[in-house]
Amino acid sequence: METHEEKPIIYTMENKPIVTCAGDQNLFTALYSSLTQQLPREPMEWRRSYGRAPKMIYLEANFVQFKEELLPKEGNKALLTFPFLHIYWTDCCDTEVYKASVKEDMQRWQGVLRLHGSVDWLIVVVESDNKKKNKTNILPRTSIVDKIRNDFCNKQSDRCVSLSDPLKESSRSQESWGSFLMKLRTLLLMSFTRNLGRFEDDMRTLREKRTEPGWSFCDYFMVQEELAFVFEMLQQFEDALVQYDELDALFTQYVLNFGAGDGANWLGSFCEPVRSWNGLLLRRPIDMEKRDLIQKGEASLLDLRSYMFSRQCTLLIFLMRPWEVTTRALELLHNCVQELRLLEVCVVSGALDCWVFLSCLEVLHRIEGCCDRAQLEANASHTVGLWTYATEKLKSLGDLCGLMSENGPNSEDLNKTVDLLAGLGAERPETANSPQSPYKKLKEALSSVEAFEKHYLELSHAAMEMYRAIGRMRSARLVGKSLAEFYMRKGDPQSAENFLLDSLKSYVSESWSLPLTHTRKQIAECQKQLQKMDEYLQTSALLASDANLSDEERKHFCQEILSFASQNAESNDARVSLSMSSFTRLHELRFRPASALVHVGAALQLELRLCSLMPVPVRVEHLSASIHFSLEMPGSTAQKRALQNPDGTVTFPGASVVSGSPALELCEIQEHSPSEGALNTAGVVCKNMHLLMRVQDSAPSLETPVTAAAPLAVEDGAQMLEADDVTLVPGNNSIVFTAPSQKPGTYTLRQLCASVGRVQFVLPHIYPVVQYEVYSQEPQLTIQPLTETLLAGLPQQVKFTILTGHYNVKKGDALQLSNTDSMPVLHSCSCSARIISSSGELVCESALSIQSSEKVTSISLPLTPPYHTLEFLLDVLCHIPACPARGESDHLTNGQISHRSRSRTRFTSGSALIDQKVSVDCPWSIYSTLVSLTFHVPFKVKHSLLSVGRRKFIQVCLQNVSGTKFQLTNQTLAETQHTPSLELLSLNTQTHSVVFSQQCVFSVWELRWSDAPPLSLQCVFSASFAPADAPDADLKPYRYEFTVERVSTLYSVRAEICPPAGEQHCRTGALCRLEVCLTRLTEPSDADPEDEELSESEGLRTARLMYEVIDNHSNWAVCGKSSGVVSMPTAAMATHKVHMEVMPLFAGRLPFPNIRVFKYRPHHASATQPDSDSCVENDSVSLLDKAVEDHLDTASLRSRGSVQSLGEQPARGVPMPKRQAFAPGQVFTGTQGRQVLVLPANDQHLLEVNVT
């Protein structure tokens, strides 16, 4: 057991909660070892206030002897010295002894606790079997325990426990011991919760008083750190870390407010000058020296920050989060530098660099001490920032102390070094034996130039290797750039150039313009010292065109180039070729003419617009563009380019007006502190930062220069675009070239070269491809209609276009057109021709001389130079053929091959087309040119023969199928061969009519004859027409010839429907009688023996007919036979009747069923003997005919309106009979248009109502 001695509190990680022990000390000493070992074995759930999550903790305790001096005095808030529980131990089992001494001792013990306000106590009564054996008159154990409970634990009976033989291993003893430990943990945890809660409330009250004048951050720091110590004592490292983070945030906020003008009084102690900069100390759990300074209010800003970070580092190491230490350390070092500036703390020059350097290495050594090498390599991304920061600070110290100059440090530099080393103080005992301690490294690095170079290069290379290992090439090159500056100051430009060129790659690829400019200046200095003139001139050209430099700097580098260019050179080998991208920027190239397509010998100009990037005017002695000539077929490339750029302009990449970066979009923000005496802060925020910081495309000014470009050799005799003695002023310039066009082919611009003395600025490839084409064209003749369609029958204008090409139309040249009867050429004296140049300008107009003969029309052409266009108009008239066209077959009816004419009529959808071919002889060719013109016939005509009994009518329908409105007149119908007994009587009332597009006009004539009707009739329909919108135009004739066959009517069909017996009208659902009467009107004619197939038997001539009754509208149901075959006598007025039954399906006036009559063709040629009664139906014609008739009988009831005809039966194996329709007008059906009245059925039970 530990005894209490008067000594100061030492804060270590071994602190445990204090538990005092009173009563029998010998008894507790016997149980001390078991108690300290078994108390922390089982965890306890710790439930805290304010909704914080419960945690499982292991409780330990520091058991000490009870003394009144251990009890906290009023105002003492130290938790580490606070006794959380008081235990009184006794093994008294005798009532007399209890009354005589133990009770009185307990009363004194409780009086002291009550005096100091302690309510966490426990009385333990230990029962021993040995004492029971020695005492025979003792009372039972429960008597002493009950008496103690009655005397001291009236309201807290659980504060007194009994422990039965704890040193024995019996089950009763173990159970008693386990219950006691659980009770001890519970009371101890309750005390923790109550006292910590009270402490947190007091701490929170103290923090809320921070706005009062007398409040001190150092006092508050000690209070909250006491809470962090308690959490650390309970191994709750996360909660302990939170306390330090809160203190860190609170102090940071006060510093920021001080910088904004709202300073606290207690911050004055932290504004004292910094006198010590010995860095962080992370090798002690608690830096008591700095803690004492904080407690006394004498700590500097660096002391406070160093102490807080050391505590945070210790807790993070316990939490197994070492890589968070490096992140926090880097933030701490940067923030401390800024806080010293905000607080305006006086710091010796270089002191902060020493402090940062030592702190970086101390953190790295601390991490190396708790991690193995593999972990360090895998987590290099966390430590590389500290290596880089230490390298930067060491470089800054070397610069300050003169260790980076070529001549070494002077006396002033040495004095600075002594002052800095003095501020480091003596080396700490923890690192005194370490040969690589941060203190020794810094002291050694500042001792000599060689030592500094050694340590600086080690740190720089270590940082670069780490950056490369983790893939951060950009940062590695940044360290290399710093190394290059070091080498430049040491007078080693060769080593510096390699690092600078490596950094330049990153800036070029990522378009960092400002770092790129700075790096190029450094590279230029290296190249100048190394006498690399070609590379130096290229870099100078880039810098002279860099807008990030001042005008003086740009002019300096430009003058470097011009000075070199003005030096005399005896041979071309001394010329230096530089990239033109640093000299000029091409904007656009404009062709004149815009099509970039000209004929041989024509003038073609190219206007090159470029922007000079030089700061002063530069005189270019010779500006040329090499041209590659190819014999490719001209026309295709130029036409495609003309479609893309109608104005003939080729725009080069990067020439469009696009700003290098988007414009800043700034907005104002304001923050208001919720506390009293609020500090209002204002600032600006960039809303499009994501656009400004993104990686942009490489601009032309950032292109990698061609450092050693060889002179580009131009072949002898190569064609070129040249311009001499051109002065390029800064900004936009325009240069006009005249392009060669002596040969037909494709000309491609390949290279652009500007010569300035000994310097040539070369653009090796011009992109996009710039081409122009020179063509040599053969003369061409085209004939095109002026309208969308040419109409036959009317004069139409066609346009003759002659592209002269390379041909020169001379005097006497003429076009010879072959004449055709179907399409004559209509010419007038006022016909003129227009001559147009290749650029589309009208040159002149000249009258045409047209002469016609029987076979040829000659058109004399005016004088026209080459590559011009000659245009004139001619009127042509295509005659409409009188009769419809024959089929497409090339054979006549006699088998001979027909000779094709120059006009051919063909039919398309709804209209007739006439193809006219014209043969033209041109003066520039020995061959004739065949030109095809297509004319549309404006009308479509069809005829039909109508019958009313024996009367005949001819109807002609004329439809306007064109888009033009016509005036139609003089419509007549006549025979081609006049017949005296025949008369055509016109029934038309109007002789003049206007026919619109797609409109039809019908004309009807009645056919009358006095003798026998003709077998066929040759007719011609004629009319006159003219455009309706031209009333003064001459009328043009239109003829249509056709033939009407079989004019006379052979049969008449009549029908009657009779109601059932006893009814006046037909009713739905009732069978009605249908009587069909077939009548022969005329006898057969010998002139047309093939009209009917006749048979003769016993002097009686008959014709076989087939009838069919169907109803396509489903109004009637035909019952029984719906079709049949009859033998009809050929005598005039012979009649045959057929009876059948039909059933009306609907009420109303129903039309008659459809009755059709056909010619019946048996399957064999021999005549079939008729019945004895030839006027009745023939049911026994032949076996096959009988089968067909049976089929027709059964089909009548199968489906209304869907009876199959005989001609549609499939023929499989045996020939089937056929039916043949009569010609139009041979059968007159009198039932068309007739209706019969049908009444509803007399059914009183069913009522059908349709509601619509």
Side-chain angles (χ1 to χ4, degrees):
M1 185 181 68
E2 297 180 1
T3 58
H4 178 73
E5 297 179 359
E6 295 294 337
K7 60 181 179 180
I9 301 174
I10 299 177
Y11 295 91
T12 66
M13 301 304 300
E14 306 300 327
N15 289 335
K16 299 177 183 178
I18 296 177
V19 177
T20 64
C21 298
D24 191 346
Q25 298 298 323
N26 295 328
L27 174 63
F28 172 71
T29 302
L31 300 176
Y32 174 78
S33 177
S34 300
L35 188 60
T36 54
Q37 292 178 4
Q38 297 184 20
L39 179 64
R41 286 186 179 179
E42 294 184 7
M44 291 290 292
E45 185 181 19
W46 186 19
R47 294 182 177 273
R48 302 179 61 192
S49 58
Y50 298 105
R52 285 172 284 192
K55 295 182 179 181
M56 303 300 293
I57 63 173
Y58 292 87
L59 295 175
E60 294 182 279
N62 182 16
F63 296 95
V64 298
Q65 183 177 356
F66 175 79
K67 286 187 177 182
E68 187 176 357
E69 293 79 2
L70 293 176
L71 297 178
K73 301 182 174 49
E74 186 176 357
N76 187 2
K77 301 182 182 299
L79 286 176
L80 292 181
T81 58
F82 182 82
F84 288 93
L85 185 63
H86 307 276
I87 304 178
Y88 189 92
W89 299 85
T90 181
D91 58 352
C92 176
C93 56
D94 188 354
T95 306
E96 298 299 331
V97 174
Y98 167 74
K99 291 181 180 180
S101 61
V102 174
K103 181 177 179 181
E104 184 179 355
D105 189 39
M106 285 185 182
Q107 288 176 346
R108 286 196 302 271
W109 173 68
Q110 279 210 341
V112 174
L113 295 180
R114 195 177 301 110
L115 181 63
H116 290 83
S118 179
V119 295
D120 299 304
W121 51 270
L122 177 67
I123 299 176
V124 181
V125 179
V126 180
E127 178 187 15
S128 176
D129 292 338
N130 295 330
K131 287 190 175 183
K132 288 184 178 181
K133 293 178 181 178
N134 297 331
K135 300 286 183 178
T136 57
N137 58 345
I138 61 175
L139 295 174
R141 175 182 57 84
T142 55
S143 300
I144 296 296
V145 173
D146 291 341
K147 197 160 189 65
I148 293 175
R149 286 177 178 171
N150 292 331
D151 294 339
F152 300 99
C153 308
N154 291 329
K155 298 182 179 180
Q156 295 176 321
S157 59
D158 58 336
R159 295 294 178 137
C160 180
V161 296
S162 62
L163 189 60
S164 176
D165 288 330
L167 300 179
K168 289 187 177 182
E169 296 182 357
S170 63
S171 58
R172 182 169 175 270
S173 299
Q174 295 297 326
E175 181 180 359
S176 175
W177 181 254
S179 177
F180 166 71
L181 290 177
M182 179 60 65
K183 188 68 175 179
L184 181 60
R185 295 189 190 105
T186 303
L187 293 177
L188 193 58
L189 193 60
M190 289 173 59
S191 178
F192 284 155
T193 304
R194 179 166 48 256
N195 290 285
L196 282 181
R198 187 185 302 115
F199 185 86
E200 287 180 340
D201 292 340
D202 295 341
M203 183 187 72
R204 197 174 296 108
T205 302
L206 180 61
R207 185 173 61 215
E208 291 174 356
K209 296 179 180 180
R210 63 184 179 276
T211 56
E212 297 179 1
W215 191 83
S216 173
F217 176 80
C218 294
D219 296 341
Y220 176 75
F221 178 88
M222 304 307 294
V223 173
Q224 189 159 0
E225 190 187 29
E226 190 80 15
L227 180 62
F229 284 151
V230 174
F231 284 127
E232 187 176 359
M233 179 178 63
L234 298 176
Q235 297 184 357
Q236 301 301 307
F237 304 115
E238 188 69 41
D239 291 335
L241 181 62
V242 169
Q243 309 307 315
Y244 286 106
D245 290 343
E246 290 180 355
L247 289 170
D248 191 351
L250 181 61
F251 184 77
T252 301
Q253 187 60 48
Y254 270 104
V255 173
L256 294 177
N257 294 346
F258 182 87
D262 185 13
N265 296 330
W266 54 267
L267 274 173
S269 61
F270 294 99
C271 298
E272 296 295 328
V274 177
R275 296 181 177 85
S276 175
W277 41 86
N278 53 3
L280 295 175
L281 178 60
L282 306 180
R283 301 170 192 262
R284 300 176 186 172
I286 301 177
D287 190 351
M288 295 304 299
E289 296 177 3
K290 288 186 173 57
R291 189 175 189 278
D292 291 341
L293 292 176
I294 297 172
Q295 189 172 10
K296 296 175 182 178
E298 300 175 357
S300 65
L301 176 67
L302 295 182
D303 293 335
L304 177 65
R305 285 300 188 183
S306 299
Y307 177 76
M308 279 199 294
F309 182 78
S310 65
R311 296 294 301 132
Q312 291 171 330
C313 175
T314 301
L315 295 173
L316 288 172
I317 297 297
F318 280 121
L319 290 171
M320 304 301 292
R321 287 150 58 181
W323 310 118
E324 189 175 341
V325 175
T326 60
T327 305
R328 288 180 175 233
L330 201 57
E331 295 177 0
L332 168 75
L333 299 178
H334 285 286
N335 291 337
C336 282
V337 175
Q338 299 301 323
E339 288 176 352
L340 288 172
R341 294 176 182 173
L342 289 175
L343 295 178
E344 301 177 357
V345 179
C346 181
V347 184
V348 176
S349 179
L352 272 181
D353 297 333
C354 292
W355 183 79
V356 171
F357 178 81
L358 293 172
S359 300
C360 288
L361 295 186
E362 178 70 13
V363 174
L364 291 173
H365 288 180
R366 183 70 180 90
I367 298 301
E368 291 174 358
C370 61
C371 299
D372 56 19
R373 186 173 184 82
Q375 289 178 327
L376 291 173
E377 293 178 355
N379 294 274
S381 59
H382 296 90
T383 59
V384 66
L386 292 173
W387 286 104
T388 306
Y389 203 18
T391 304
E392 294 176 0
K393 293 306 176 182
L394 183 60
K395 178 183 177 183
S396 179
L397 287 173
D399 188 15
L400 179 67
C401 299
L403 299 174
M404 293 178 62
S405 61
E406 296 183 7
N407 300 325
N410 52 28
S411 59
E412 184 180 355
D413 297 332
L414 293 177
N415 292 332
K416 292 181 182 179
T417 304
V418 171
D419 293 339
L420 291 177
L421 294 177
L424 298 179
E427 186 173 6
R428 293 161 179 162
E430 290 83 2
T431 61
N433 298 326
S434 175
Q436 295 294 328
S437 65
Y439 182 87
K440 291 185 176 67
K441 281 188 176 182
L442 180 59
K443 194 170 183 179
E444 181 182 356
L446 298 180
S447 61
S448 65
V449 175
E450 293 77 11
F452 172 80
E453 183 175 352
K454 170 191 171 185
H455 286 285
Y456 178 71
L457 292 179
E458 286 181 357
L459 291 175
S460 298
H461 287 289
M464 291 177 64
E465 292 299 326
M466 289 183 185
Y467 277 129
R468 291 193 182 102
I470 61 178
R472 291 177 58 180
M473 302 303 299
R474 193 183 296 125
S475 300
R477 288 166 179 166
L478 187 62
V479 176
K481 190 168 180 286
S482 179
L483 266 177
E485 296 175 358
F486 170 76
Y487 282 120
M488 285 293 294
R489 300 187 64 173
K490 299 294 291 183
D492 187 5
Q494 183 63 49
S495 301
E497 186 185 18
N498 297 329
F499 287 108
L500 291 175
L501 290 176
D502 195 24
S503 300
L504 190 68
K505 296 178 182 178
S506 297
Y507 301 145
V508 170
S509 62
E510 300 174 6
S511 300
W512 295 99
S513 60
L514 289 177
L516 179 62
T517 302
H518 184 261
T519 305
R520 276 182 177 157
K521 288 178 61 178
Q522 294 174 318
I523 292 176
E525 184 65 26
C526 293
Q527 293 169 346
K528 188 174 182 179
Q529 294 182 16
L530 295 172
Q531 294 298 316
K532 296 182 178 180
M533 292 308 299
D534 292 355
E535 291 86 345
Y536 174 66
L537 291 176
Q538 181 63 68
T539 306
S540 298
L542 291 169
L543 292 172
S545 61
D546 198 331
N548 294 321
L549 295 178
S550 63
D551 291 341
E552 290 75 13
E553 290 178 307
R554 294 179 60 192
K555 290 178 182 179
H556 165 72
F557 288 107
C558 182
Q559 192 60 41
E560 291 283 308
I561 301 172
L562 296 179
S563 299
F564 178 84
S566 62
Q567 297 176 6
N568 295 327
E570 297 180 357
S571 62
N572 292 331
D573 295 338
R575 289 181 177 269
V576 176
S577 297
L578 305 180
S579 174
M580 186 171 283
S581 61
S582 59
F583 180 61
T584 60
R585 183 183 302 124
L586 301 185
H587 278 185
E588 64 180 15
L589 184 70
R590 186 183 298 272
F591 286 97
R592 301 175 185 171
S595 61
L597 178 65
V598 296
H599 57 80
V600 174
L604 176 64
Q605 290 184 338
L606 287 79
E607 181 184 0
L608 178 62
R609 296 180 180 178
L610 51 85
C611 176
S612 176
L613 303 177
M614 295 293 104
V616 296
V618 178
R619 179 178 172 271
V620 179
E621 300 172 0
H622 187 71
L623 182 62
S624 61
S626 63
I627 297 177
H628 174 74
F629 173 75
S630 62
L631 292 175
E632 297 178 359
M633 184 63 66
S636 59
T637 305
Q639 290 173 4
K640 292 179 181 178
R641 185 172 60 250
L643 291 175
Q644 296 175 1
N645 303 293
D647 56 349
T649 301
V650 178
T651 304
F652 295 96
S656 59
V657 183
V658 179
S659 59
S661 59
L664 286 172
E665 296 182 10
L666 302 177
C667 63
E668 181 184 357
I669 61 170
Q670 293 183 354
E671 292 185 2
H672 302 280
S673 176
S675 61
E676 296 181 0
L679 173 66
N680 296 333
T681 61
V684 290
V685 171
C686 180
K687 296 193 296 184
N688 59 340
M689 182 60 67
H690 61 290
L691 298 178
L692 294 170
M693 298 301 294
R694 68 181 180 181
V695 178
Q696 303 176 2
D697 296 335
S698 297
S701 61
L702 305 185
E703 293 177 356
T704 304
V706 182
T707 56
L712 298 175
V714 181
E715 296 180 0
D716 294 338
Q719 302 188 52
M720 305 192 58
L721 300 178
E722 296 179 333
D724 296 331
D725 197 11
V726 177
T727 300
L728 299 181
V729 299
N732 295 328
N733 296 266
S734 178
I735 304 170
V736 178
F737 299 94
T738 300
S741 59
Q742 289 77 19
K743 297 181 181 180
T746 302
Y747 295 78
T748 305
L749 274 65
R750 290 293 180 86
Q751 299 171 351
L752 189 63
C753 178
S755 300
V756 182
R758 297 178 57 190
V759 178
Q760 284 185 334
F761 294 94
V762 180
L763 181 63
H765 302 286
I766 297 178
Y767 181 81
V769 177
V770 178
Q771 290 180 334
Y772 69 92
E773 297 178 348
V774 179
Y775 64 91
S776 177
Q777 186 180 10
E778 295 293 329
Q780 295 181 1
L781 169 65
T782 57
I783 303 178
Q784 296 177 339
L786 288 183
T787 58
E788 183 178 356
T789 58
L790 294 174
L791 296 180
L794 296 175
Q796 301 289 299
Q797 279 192 333
V798 293
K799 180 181 180 180
F800 284 70
T801 303
I802 300 175
L803 301 178
T804 60
H806 61 78
Y807 183 77
N808 186 13
V809 180
K810 302 177 293 297
K811 183 178 181 180
D813 289 344
L815 296 180
Q816 306 292 332
L817 277 69
S818 60
N819 292 338
T820 59
D821 297 335
S822 59
M823 192 189 72
V825 177
L826 308 177
H827 55 85
S828 62
C829 299
S830 61
C831 185
S832 62
R834 302 169 70 244
I835 301 176
I836 303 173
S837 66
S838 59
S839 60
E841 298 177 358
L842 178 62
V843 177
C844 65
E845 291 190 10
S846 177
L848 285 180
S849 175
I850 303 176
Q851 297 178 358
S852 296
S853 63
E854 182 179 356
K855 294 183 178 181
V856 176
T857 298
S858 178
I859 306 174
S860 299
L861 301 177
L863 299 178
T864 308
Y867 298 102
H868 280 61
T869 302
L870 182 63
E871 296 179 351
F872 58 89
L873 303 178
L874 284 183
D875 292 338
V876 295
L877 175 63
C878 177
H879 296 297
I880 302 176
C883 43
R886 196 165 38 213
E888 294 294 332
S889 174
D890 292 338
H891 294 272
L892 301 176
T893 56
N894 58 2
Q896 297 180 356
I897 299 177
S898 64
H899 298 283
R900 289 186 178 270
S901 63
R902 291 188 180 271
S903 70
R904 184 172 65 92
T905 306
R906 54 190 174 90
F907 295 89
T908 59
S909 56
S911 63
L913 305 179
I914 303 174
D915 293 330
Q916 295 286 355
K917 294 183 179 180
V918 181
S919 177
V920 183
D921 292 334
C922 303
W924 54 80
S925 176
I926 62 174
Y927 301 102
S928 298
T929 302
L930 195 62
V931 180
S932 178
L933 296 176
T934 300
F935 292 83
H936 294 252
V937 179
F939 302 115
K940 178 182 178 182
V941 181
K942 59 183 178 178
H943 68 280
S944 59
L945 181 64
L946 307 179
S947 302
V948 180
R950 296 189 179 187
R951 298 178 64 183
K952 297 295 180 179
F953 302 88
I954 297 177
Q955 177 182 272
V956 178
C957 174
L958 182 143
Q959 182 182 6
N960 181 7
V961 294
S962 69
T964 306
K965 180 173 61 173
F966 290 102
Q967 179 182 359
L968 192 66
T969 184
N970 299 332
Q971 306 172 40
T972 60
L973 182 66
E975 293 182 82
T976 57
Q977 298 176 356
H978 180 67
T979 303
S981 62
L982 189 65
E983 179 185 5
L984 291 172
L985 180 61
S986 176
L987 303 180
N988 304 312
T989 59
Q990 295 182 358
T991 59
H992 298 272
S993 59
V994 177
V995 186
F996 294 88
S997 177
Q998 304 302 324
Q999 184 180 2
C1000 296
V1001 175
F1002 293 89
S1003 303
V1004 180
W1005 286 265
E1006 184 178 359
L1007 184 62
R1008 295 183 180 180
W1009 59 87
S1010 56
D1011 295 337
L1015 295 178
S1016 64
L1017 188 62
Q1018 302 289 334
C1019 300
V1020 56
F1021 170 78
S1022 61
S1024 300
F1025 69 97
D1029 52 0
D1032 298 336
D1034 296 336
L1035 295 174
K1036 302 298 179 181
Y1038 178 78
R1039 290 169 56 85
Y1040 172 72
E1041 296 181 0
F1042 60 91
T1043 302
V1044 179
E1045 302 286 347
R1046 297 179 177 86
V1047 178
S1048 61
T1049 304
L1050 298 181
Y1051 295 96
S1052 173
V1053 180
R1054 292 174 300 154
E1056 292 292 337
I1057 297 179
C1058 301
E1063 296 286 343
Q1064 291 184 348
H1065 300 283
C1066 298
R1067 294 185 179 273
T1068 57
L1071 292 176
C1072 302
R1073 182 182 177 187
L1074 173 64
E1075 180 182 278
V1076 180
C1077 180
L1078 303 177
T1079 303
R1080 175 83 183 201
L1081 298 180
T1082 60
E1083 295 183 0
S1085 173
D1086 296 335
D1088 190 12
E1090 297 182 358
D1091 188 24
E1092 295 179 278
E1093 185 175 348
L1094 304 178
S1095 60
E1096 186 173 355
S1097 176
E1098 296 179 359
L1100 181 62
R1101 297 174 67 189
T1102 60
R1104 306 194 70 182
L1105 302 179
M1106 177 182 173
Y1107 67 90
E1108 186 178 31
V1109 180
I1110 61 175
D1111 184 16
N1112 294 328
H1113 301 285
S1114 301
N1115 293 324
W1116 301 89
V1118 182
C1119 304
K1121 293 175 59 177
S1122 62
S1123 61
V1125 180
V1126 298
S1127 295
M1128 189 71 184
T1130 59
M1133 303 308 295
T1135 303
H1136 184 84
K1137 296 184 178 180
V1138 179
H1139 300 276
M1140 60 187 67
E1141 292 182 339
V1142 295
M1143 178 188 295
L1145 302 179
F1146 301 99
R1149 294 192 176 273
L1150 304 182
F1152 274 62
N1154 190 14
I1155 302 172
R1156 296 187 296 180
V1157 179
F1158 305 93
K1159 300 175 187 178
Y1160 183 75
R1161 304 291 188 185
H1163 64 282
H1164 51 81
S1166 60
T1168 305
Q1169 297 295 330
D1171 257 355
S1172 57
D1173 185 7
S1174 61
C1175 293
V1176 299
E1177 296 183 11
N1178 188 356
D1179 296 333
S1180 59
V1181 178
S1182 67
L1183 293 177
L1184 186 58
D1185 295 344
K1186 181 64 178 176
V1188 173
E1189 292 177 10
D1190 293 343
H1191 171 76
L1192 294 174
D1193 292 342
T1194 57
S1196 61
L1197 291 176
R1198 187 176 304 164
S1199 174
R1200 296 189 303 272
S1202 61
V1203 179
Q1204 286 182 311
S1205 63
L1206 290 175
E1208 297 172 354
Q1209 295 299 321
R1212 295 183 181 179
V1214 294
M1216 296 295 291
K1218 298 181 180 179
R1219 67 178 187 180
Q1220 182 180 358
F1222 284 94
Q1226 287 187 313
V1227 177
F1228 173 70
T1229 304
T1231 59
Q1232 293 183 358
R1234 291 190 60 188
Q1235 295 179 340
V1236 61
L1237 178 62
V1238 178
L1239 300 179
N1242 295 325
D1243 192 351
Q1244 305 298 330
H1245 302 283
L1246 297 177
L1247 178 63
E1248 181 179 355
V1249 179
N1250 291 331
V1251 179
T1252 59

